[in-house]
Amino acid sequence: MKKKLSVLRLFLLLIFCGMSSAQNQEIDSLKRVLLVTKIDTAKANLYNHISNKYKESNPDSTAFYAQKAASLSKKINYPFGLATSFLNKGNSNIILGNYKQAKVDFEKAKTNFSVLAEDDDSKEIKNGLAKAYASIGVIASEENNYSLALENYQKALKIYLAIGQKNNVSKAYNNIGIVYKSQGNNPKALHYFKKALQIQEEIGEQAAATSLTNIGVIYFEQGNSSEAFNYYKKAEKLFEKIDNQRGFALLKNYLGDYYKNQNQINEAISSYTQSLEMYEEMQNKHGASLVLYNLGQLNYEQKNNSEAIKYATQSLNNAQEVGLLDQTFHSEKLLSDVYDALGNHQQSLIHYKEYVKARDSINNLESNKKFVRAEMDFEYQMKESLLLEKNKRQKLITLFSIIGGLLLLGLVFVIFNRRQVKRRLTLQKEVTEYEQKALHLQMNPHFVFNCLGSISSFIVQNGTDSALKYLSKFSKLMRLTLEYSKGSIIPIDKEIEGLQNYLELEQLRFHNSFTFSIVSSEKVEFNMGLPPLLIQPFVENAILHGLVPKEGEGKIEVHFDVHNNQLVCTITDNGIGITKSKEMKENSMTAHQSMALEITKKRLEIMEATISKSAQIEIKEIEENNAIQGTKVTLRLPIQYIQ
C-alpha cells in the first residue's frame, strides 16, 4: 500500500499555517474593539472575524465565536453575517474531522450567499460564495468524489477570476492540482501547480513555497530526482523567510526521502531529524508519526534494528493517539519485520496480527468510500446519458432501475450497520457518564464527612457560639456544593467561590493560623470549566498535613493559568512537606490522602477517556537551600468550555 498524505492534509498545508504572535495581537485587538462596539451588524462581523482568525490555532474558539455571530445575525435578520458564520462553523468542523457536519455548514453558506448574490453584485458576497464552493470541493476530495470536487473548484475559480482575486485564484489552481494528483494524473497536477506558482511568484504570495514543494513531489514520483531536488531547494529558501513551520517540516521530510533515494544516508537522517524536531515543537503528532516511521524504515534497511524498533514504536504510539489508521498499518508492519529479523518471532507475530487488523479496517473504509463515490458517479453519469441519448431513454431507465435497486439494497445494509455501531457507541458513552456521576457522588460524602469532622472539632475547641458561626458558613458551602453537583463541569469562577468558602471555614477552625490567596490569570476565559470539587481535596490535604503541624503562620496559594493549551491549577503551601508529614502520621495520612487522590485520579481517567485529551497530576516538595519549604501540587487539565 503506497504511503501518501490525504487530499485534505495537502489542502490544509496550503491554507492553514502556524499562528504568529502578530495574529494573537490582532485577535486581542479585535476583542477590545468588540467590547466598545454598539452596532449589532458590526458586532456580528467582529464575531465572524475573530472566529476566522482562530481557525489556524483553536477550532473550538472558531466554533464558539461563529455561533455567537449566527445567533446575533438571526436575531437582527442579518443574512450576510449568518452566511459567513456557516463558513466559519464548517472550517471548525473540517479541522476537528467532522466532515459530515462541515458539509452541511458549507451547503448552508452556499445557499445563503447564492440568495444574496441575486440582489447584490458586491465582491464581498461573491467571495463568500466562492469560498463555499471551494470548501465543498475539499469535502468532496476527502470523500474521493473527485468529479464533484472538480466541479466545485471550477465554480470557485470562475468567481475568483471574475472579481480579480489572484491569491484565491492560485489556491483554486493548487486545489485542482491536488485532485488530479490524488487521481494519479501527475501531468495535469503538475500543470495546475505551475499555474498556481506563476501567480504566487507574481504577487509575492507566501504559499509559493508550498507550490514549489508540491511540484518537487511530482517530479520525484516521476523519477526525475534532479528536478525534484531543484524545486525542493527553492522551497527551502522561501520557507526560511516565512512563518510556515508546518510546510517547512513537510519539505524536510521530502528531502529525507530524496537523500534516501540517492543513498546519502547521513543527509537523509539529518533532514528527517530536522522535520521531526519541527513537528514535535508544533506538537503535531500526525507529521511526527510519518517522520518517525521513515527513520525507523531507514534504520531497518541499514540493519540498525534497535534504533528501528525505537522509531517505529514512537511512530505507532503517535498514530494510535491521534487515530491515524494508515500510519498504524505501516508502523505495525515495520515492527513485525524488525522483530522477525531479530529472531523474536513471538513479538513479530503480535505486531503482524495488529497489522492485519489495521489493513482490514482500511479496506473496509475504502470500500465504504468507493460505494459512496460509485453512487454519486452513477447519478451524474445517468443525467449525462439522458441528455446525450434521448432515443435510448427507456432502455437506460430499465437498466439503471435494476442497478439502483441493487445499490439501494447495499445502502440499506450499510445504514443498518452504521446504526448498530452508533447504538453501541451511545451505550458506551452513557456508561462513561454514569460512572463519572457515581465517582462524583462518592466525592461529595468524602467532603461532607471531613466538614462535619471539622465542625465537631470546632465545637470542642471553641464552644457553641463559634460553632454556630462555623455551621452557618458550612451550610452556605453545602448549598454551593449541591448546586455544582448538577453538572459534570462548572465555571472556574464557581470553583473559586467554593474554595473561598471552604478556606474561610478552615481559617475559623484553626484560629486564622494561615492565610490564603486564589488567583486567576488573564489567559483563563470566562467560559472555561472544570469538574466540581476537583481542587478542594488537595487544598484540604495542604491544610491538615502541611500547615496544621507547622509552627508559625501558614500560607496557601491557588493559581489558575493556561499553558500549552491546558488549564493549569497549582496549589502551593509552606507546610512541613510530604516526607515529614508521612513520618509524623504515616497510617492516618496514607488512608486519608489515598482516598481523595484515588477518587480524583479516577475522575481524571474517565474525563481523559471521554474527551480524548490528557490530564495529569504532579505532587512535589518545594526545596530551597537544602531545606523543605512546603509542597506544590500541579494539575494540568484539558481545556473545556461551558456550552
Side-chain angles (χ1 to χ4, degrees), residues 493-591:
D493 59 342
K494 294 292 185 181
E495 180 75 5
I496 292 175
E497 183 181 0
L499 287 174
Q500 182 85 20
N501 276 273
Y502 172 74
L503 284 163
E504 288 175 357
L505 283 172
E506 294 296 67
Q507 275 187 327
L508 283 173
R509 175 184 172 188
F510 295 110
H511 308 290
N512 293 314
S513 62
F514 68 89
T515 60
F516 70 89
S517 65
I518 305 174
V519 180
S520 177
S521 79
E522 295 180 354
K523 296 180 182 179
V524 179
E525 299 183 43
F526 72 94
N527 59 333
M528 288 182 179
L530 74 168
L533 286 178
L534 191 69
I535 310 301
Q536 185 271 338
F538 298 101
V539 175
E540 180 182 353
N541 278 342
I543 296 171
L544 297 181
H545 308 301
L547 301 184
V548 171
K550 171 186 170 65
E551 295 182 1
E553 184 178 24
K555 183 176 181 181
I556 291 181
E557 296 180 354
V558 181
H559 186 260
F560 294 91
D561 199 356
V562 174
H563 185 65
N564 288 338
N565 205 29
Q566 285 185 309
L567 176 62
V568 180
C569 174
T570 56
I571 303 101
T572 309
D573 68 71
N574 65 342
I576 63 175
I578 300 171
T579 305
K580 190 172 180 180
S581 178
K582 285 185 177 180
E583 291 175 356
M584 295 175 62
K585 293 185 177 181
E586 183 174 358
N587 292 333
S588 60
M589 170 60 185
T590 302

Side-chain angles (χ1 to χ4, degrees), residues 323-340:
L324 283 176
L325 191 57
D326 56 342
Q327 196 58 58
T328 300
F329 162 84
H330 291 293
S331 299
E332 292 283 12
K333 181 62 168 63
L334 177 57
L335 282 168
S336 176
D337 291 342
V338 177
Y339 279 116
D340 185 61

Side-chain angles (χ1 to χ4, degrees), residues 5 9 246 249-250 253 275-276 279-280 282-294 315 318 322 324 327:
L5 285 175
R9 256 177 273 167
R246 188 193 305 265
L250 182 61
N253 180 65
S275 177
L276 179 60
Y279 279 127
E280 289 180 340
M282 293 183 290
Q283 298 182 352
N284 185 329
K285 294 185 181 295
H286 291 76
S289 179
L290 174 63
V291 181
L292 286 164
Y293 169 81
N294 288 336
S315 173
N318 280 2
V322 297
L324 283 176
Q327 196 58 58

Side-chain angles (χ1 to χ4, degrees), residues 412-426:
V412 169
F413 178 76
V414 171
I415 291 173
F416 176 77
N417 279 347
R418 287 183 177 177
R419 285 183 177 177
Q420 291 295 103
V421 172
K422 182 178 179 181
R423 182 172 178 270
R424 183 170 65 254
L425 292 175
T426 301

Side-chain angles (χ1 to χ4, degrees), residues 620-631:
K620 64 179 181 180
E621 291 182 319
I622 302 172
E623 185 174 351
E624 294 180 6
N625 300 323
N626 295 324
I628 302 302
Q629 302 295 327
T631 305

Side-chain angles (χ1 to χ4, degrees), residues 334-386:
L334 177 57
L335 282 168
S336 176
D337 291 342
V338 177
Y339 279 116
D340 185 61
L342 290 171
N344 189 340
H345 302 301
Q346 183 179 359
Q347 282 295 322
S348 177
L349 180 60
I350 290 172
H351 287 288
Y352 186 80
K353 288 180 178 178
E354 294 301 320
Y355 152 74
V356 171
K357 287 182 183 178
R359 181 192 64 192
D360 292 342
S361 297
I362 291 172
N363 289 338
N364 289 336
L365 289 173
E366 288 299 320
S367 296
N368 288 337
K369 286 185 177 180
K370 286 179 181 178
F371 174 81
V372 173
R373 185 171 69 251
E375 186 181 18
M376 292 182 175
D377 287 345
F378 164 73
E379 292 178 358
Y380 179 79
Q381 291 169 6
M382 183 176 66
K383 291 178 181 178
E384 189 178 51
S385 298
L386 287 172

Side-chain angles (χ1 to χ4, degrees), residues 111-147:
T111 301
N112 281 269
F113 278 121
S114 296
V115 172
L116 288 170
E118 292 176 359
D119 301 320
D120 191 337
D121 199 34
S122 66
K123 284 187 177 181
E124 198 172 26
I125 290 175
K126 285 186 175 181
N127 182 56
L129 180 58
K131 285 183 178 179
Y133 279 128
S135 300
I136 294 170
V138 173
I139 301 296
S141 295
E142 186 61 18
E143 293 174 344
N144 296 339
N145 188 354
Y146 300 126
S147 60

